Amino acid sequence: MKTKQFFALLALIVLTNACGNVKEAHIPPALTSAVTAVSASLDSLSNSLNAAATGLAQVGADTAMVRSELQRFYNECSFGSEFVFTTPEGILQLVEPAVYYPSQGSDISQQAHIIKAFETKLPALSDVFSVVEGFQAVVQIHPIMAEDRLLGGVSGLFSPAYLIARNVVPIIGDEPFEIWVMEKTGVVLYNTDASEIGLNVFTDPRYDQFPKMKLACEKIAGEPSGMTSFPYYETGSDKIINRKVFWETLTQEGNEWKFIWSGASE
């Protein structure tokens, strides 16, 4: 009896693992490539900010040195729009490039990523929001620590739509599918239809006629990967078709971006 139970259990384990492998095998390679490419860009910025935070901890209040480091970041980073130093009190003290100097002195202490990074003493990646300089951006911030003392934070601001597009568009090419990206909150960070960027799929009236899409996106927001389907517009058309969807999650410094492959169901 025990032998039969053992082999039954073994068969169940093998079947479960096989199903998992089949699921992984069906994830479109382009989707995995897109996540990997964008993750590499974010990692590169994070590594640079971490090195800067470590170095700036040694120079303290030397604002000339801090500004020089911000200028170097701006000149070397291919997707960063702006680099800033924020005081421990949450004041935007130094900014590069010069076009954003008027924002220096702004109090950003109540911005969520500032609160999170300064309270936890850990790097943070913000949700997309309207920055004081007047554009939509995501901020990656690294606290500057001297032992246990917070000296401020060094941050890079960038357009998520631009960062994602420069990595994803070459992967898609002329293939008959889309890859779009949303925050876990439902805000669209990137879409081939630029009019959808910045909309929230859960709350914007544009999506009210697609309840199945909203339900699918709730599932996507809550699970790391998977597949589903829902009716939505055909690419570049007003025609509604059933779209097959796969998704994977990019996790970076406490935030999640959902990468969604979408193509017409066969």
Side-chain angles (χ1 to χ4, degrees), residues 25-36:
H26 279 75
I27 294 292
L31 178 59
T32 301
S33 296
V35 174
T36 300

Side-chain angles (χ1 to χ4, degrees), residues 51-62 65-67 69-70 73 85 144 151 154:
T54 301
L56 293 177
Q58 309 303 316
V59 302
D62 187 341
M65 184 71 73
V66 176
R67 187 174 293 282
E69 190 72 358
L70 298 180
F73 270 139
F85 168 75
I144 301 171
L151 302 182
V154 59

Side-chain angles (χ1 to χ4, degrees), residues 178 193 210 231-243 264:
E178 299 177 9
D193 181 351
F210 299 105
Y232 196 63
Y233 295 118
E234 185 178 35
T235 303
S237 168
D238 291 333
K239 179 183 177 183
I240 295 175
I241 62 171
N242 196 50
R243 303 197 69 104

